[in-house]
Amino acid sequence: RKEVEQDPGPFNVPEGATVAFNCTYSNSASQSFFWYRQDCRKEPKLLMSVYSSGNEDGRFTAQLNRASQYISLLIRDSKLSDSATYLCVVRNTGFQKLVFGTGTRLLVSP
Amino acid sequence: GAGVSQSPSNKVTEKGKDVELRCDPISGHTALYWYRQSLGQGLEFLIYFQGNSAPDKSGLPSDRFSAERTGGSVSTLTIQRTQQEDSAVYLCASSLANGGMRADTQYFGPGTRLTVL
């Protein structure tokens, strides 16, 4: 079982839709949580960090449930430019390395 | 400012040859990381440098893989006697790693796409 699990998708949604991605992590020592975005054949880029109280950045909202070891990302009013792979990422206590999920692919169509 | 740079962007080699991949981190970033991404796989951690030392080498898949960092800046990942399963995109990242929350952000380079024939 992978340490960080994501539904690979693809999620096909029309422009303007709201879409949610979920992610679970197995290591209770995980202390930092992120969503990265990766466009096709490009490097991953940080979308947002995920804080315990939940946080929002424009159309994007991230939630963390430590008890269930579950992270979510909500995208409202989807744009064509949101089409990408979204990577759920954790960092465990005492380590600097990031542990990545395999990603969830999002396709937004006109 | 300049981001993380990597060279070459693409490398095709024959099985059994050695390859060197280079990473130039963001200026002032003390931490440097190597990851690789194989087709259909997530990103896998290889090695982490803090300054010139490597406190975590746990992701290196075999003794054919080695890395060094000099002057607290440029790093080189070397793969000896390449095998076909080494084909992947090798990504380098850097971070400030000075203990602050924002310091944890890892910024990735564009990667080197390695193909072993």
Side-chain angles (χ1 to χ4, degrees), chain B residues 65-109:
Chain B
F65 287 72
S66 63
E68 64 174 14
R69 189 179 185 196
T70 55
S73 181
V74 171
S75 176
T76 303
L77 177 69
T78 301
I79 309 174
Q80 294 178 309
R81 305 180 302 282
T82 51
Q83 303 293 313
Q84 287 181 332
E85 62 262 27
D86 299 335
S87 296
V89 177
Y90 289 81
L91 290 154
C92 177
S94 70
S95 71
L96 278 170
N98 63 10
M101 178 69 81
R102 286 220 169 262
D104 286 334
T105 301
Q106 294 185 21
Y107 299 89
F108 284 81

Side-chain angles (χ1 to χ4, degrees), chain A residues 2 32 34 36 38 41 43-44 46 51 87 91 95-98 100-102, chain B residues 33 35 37 41-43 45 48 56 58 91 101 104-106 108-110 113:
Chain A
K2 286 189 174 293
S32 301
F34 312 91
Y36 273 74
Q38 187 172 29
R41 299 179 77 88
E43 72 272 23
L46 179 66
Y51 303 119
L87 303 168
R91 188 171 66 85
F95 293 91
Q96 291 295 323
K97 67 181 180 184
L98 299 178
F100 286 80
T102 51
Chain B
Y33 313 79
Y35 296 85
Q37 187 170 30
Q41 301 289 321
L43 276 89
F45 167 78
Y48 152 60
D56 188 352
S58 61
L91 290 154
M101 178 69 81
D104 286 334
T105 301
Q106 294 185 21
F108 284 81
R113 185 171 297 273

